[in-house]
PDB file of all heavy atoms in Angstrom:
ATOM      1  N   MET A 153      44.724 -28.556  -6.263  1.00 90.00           N
ATOM      2  CA  MET A 153      43.591 -28.074  -7.072  1.00 90.00           C
ATOM      3  C   MET A 153      43.639 -28.609  -8.516  1.00 90.00           C
ATOM      4  O   MET A 153      42.573 -28.687  -9.140  1.00 90.00           O
ATOM      5  CB  MET A 153      43.665 -26.525  -7.175  1.00 90.00           C
ATOM      6  CG  MET A 153      43.377 -25.783  -5.850  1.00 90.00           C
ATOM      7  SD  MET A 153      43.556 -24.024  -6.035  1.00 90.00           S
ATOM      8  CE  MET A 153      42.387 -23.695  -7.348  1.00 90.00           C
ATOM      9  N   ARG A 154      44.802 -29.024  -8.926  1.00 92.00           N
ATOM     10  CA  ARG A 154      44.929 -29.501 -10.297  1.00 92.00           C
ATOM     11  C   ARG A 154      44.762 -31.013 -10.550  1.00 92.00           C
ATOM     12  O   ARG A 154      44.696 -31.506 -11.721  1.00 92.00           O
ATOM     13  CB  ARG A 154      46.323 -29.067 -10.871  1.00 92.00           C
ATOM     14  CG  ARG A 154      46.474 -27.596 -10.910  1.00 92.00           C
ATOM     15  CD  ARG A 154      47.819 -27.155 -11.477  1.00 92.00           C
ATOM     16  NE  ARG A 154      48.877 -27.129 -10.512  1.00 92.00           N
ATOM     17  CZ  ARG A 154      49.921 -27.915 -10.456  1.00 92.00           C
ATOM     18  NH1 ARG A 154      50.072 -28.856 -11.429  1.00 92.00           N
ATOM     19  NH2 ARG A 154      50.849 -27.808  -9.527  1.00 92.00           N
ATOM     20  N   VAL A 155      44.694 -31.770  -9.420  1.00 94.00           N
ATOM     21  CA  VAL A 155      44.583 -33.166  -9.491  1.00 94.00           C
ATOM     22  C   VAL A 155      43.181 -33.606 -10.060  1.00 94.00           C
ATOM     23  O   VAL A 155      42.160 -33.025  -9.611  1.00 94.00           O
ATOM     24  CB  VAL A 155      44.792 -33.780  -8.142  1.00 94.00           C
ATOM     25  CG1 VAL A 155      44.526 -35.273  -8.176  1.00 94.00           C
ATOM     26  CG2 VAL A 155      46.191 -33.552  -7.631  1.00 94.00           C
ATOM     27  N   PRO A 156      43.151 -34.491 -10.980  1.00 96.00           N
ATOM     28  CA  PRO A 156      41.862 -34.912 -11.589  1.00 96.00           C
ATOM     29  C   PRO A 156      40.994 -35.659 -10.577  1.00 96.00           C
ATOM     30  O   PRO A 156      41.466 -36.215  -9.624  1.00 96.00           O
ATOM     31  CB  PRO A 156      42.184 -35.779 -12.762  1.00 96.00           C
ATOM     32  CG  PRO A 156      43.526 -36.371 -12.327  1.00 96.00           C
ATOM     33  CD  PRO A 156      44.206 -35.354 -11.540  1.00 96.00           C
ATOM     34  N   ASP A 157      39.676 -35.613 -10.801  1.00 95.00           N
ATOM     35  CA  ASP A 157      38.750 -36.537 -10.030  1.00 95.00           C
ATOM     36  C   ASP A 157      37.951 -37.370 -10.947  1.00 95.00           C
ATOM     37  O   ASP A 157      38.216 -37.417 -12.163  1.00 95.00           O
ATOM     38  CB  ASP A 157      37.910 -35.671  -9.102  1.00 95.00           C
ATOM     39  CG  ASP A 157      37.028 -34.634  -9.867  1.00 95.00           C
ATOM     40  OD1 ASP A 157      36.646 -34.898 -11.012  1.00 95.00           O
ATOM     41  OD2 ASP A 157      36.743 -33.552  -9.304  1.00 95.00           O
ATOM     42  N   GLU A 158      36.960 -38.101 -10.443  1.00 95.00           N
ATOM     43  CA  GLU A 158      36.187 -39.042 -11.225  1.00 95.00           C
ATOM     44  C   GLU A 158      35.378 -38.300 -12.324  1.00 95.00           C
ATOM     45  O   GLU A 158      34.796 -38.934 -13.224  1.00 95.00           O
ATOM     46  CB  GLU A 158      35.251 -39.880 -10.329  1.00 95.00           C
ATOM     47  CG  GLU A 158      34.143 -39.072  -9.559  1.00 95.00           C
ATOM     48  CD  GLU A 158      34.630 -38.522  -8.298  1.00 95.00           C
ATOM     49  OE1 GLU A 158      35.850 -38.375  -8.058  1.00 95.00           O
ATOM     50  OE2 GLU A 158      33.755 -38.197  -7.498  1.00 95.00           O
ATOM     51  N   HIS A 159      35.215 -37.014 -12.297  1.00 96.00           N
ATOM     52  CA  HIS A 159      34.427 -36.270 -13.237  1.00 96.00           C
ATOM     53  C   HIS A 159      35.394 -35.851 -14.518  1.00 96.00           C
ATOM     54  O   HIS A 159      34.955 -35.424 -15.477  1.00 96.00           O
ATOM     55  CB  HIS A 159      33.874 -35.032 -12.646  1.00 96.00           C
ATOM     56  CG  HIS A 159      32.900 -35.253 -11.587  1.00 96.00           C
ATOM     57  ND1 HIS A 159      31.732 -35.950 -11.859  1.00 96.00           N
ATOM     58  CD2 HIS A 159      33.005 -34.992 -10.240  1.00 96.00           C
ATOM     59  CE1 HIS A 159      31.046 -35.997 -10.659  1.00 96.00           C
ATOM     60  NE2 HIS A 159      31.831 -35.483  -9.683  1.00 96.00           N
ATOM     61  N   ASP A 160      36.695 -36.040 -14.278  1.00 97.00           N
ATOM     62  CA  ASP A 160      37.678 -35.735 -15.369  1.00 97.00           C
ATOM     63  C   ASP A 160      38.062 -37.038 -16.104  1.00 97.00           C
ATOM     64  O   ASP A 160      38.131 -37.045 -17.341  1.00 97.00           O
ATOM     65  CB  ASP A 160      38.883 -35.106 -14.778  1.00 97.00           C
ATOM     66  CG  ASP A 160      38.535 -33.820 -14.051  1.00 97.00           C
ATOM     67  OD1 ASP A 160      37.928 -32.938 -14.636  1.00 97.00           O
ATOM     68  OD2 ASP A 160      38.943 -33.707 -12.815  1.00 97.00           O
ATOM     69  N   LEU A 161      38.444 -38.103 -15.370  1.00 97.00           N
ATOM     70  CA  LEU A 161      38.940 -39.300 -15.966  1.00 97.00           C
ATOM     71  C   LEU A 161      38.540 -40.473 -15.128  1.00 97.00           C
ATOM     72  O   LEU A 161      38.795 -40.471 -13.899  1.00 97.00           O
ATOM     73  CB  LEU A 161      40.500 -39.241 -16.120  1.00 97.00           C
ATOM     74  CG  LEU A 161      41.172 -40.490 -16.677  1.00 97.00           C
ATOM     75  CD1 LEU A 161      40.737 -40.717 -18.127  1.00 97.00           C
ATOM     76  CD2 LEU A 161      42.722 -40.291 -16.634  1.00 97.00           C
TER      77      LEU A 161
END
Side-chain angles (χ1 to χ4, degrees):
M153 295 176 58
R154 295 182 276 113
V155 173
D157 57 32
E158 65 273 17
H159 301 293
D160 302 306
L161 177 64

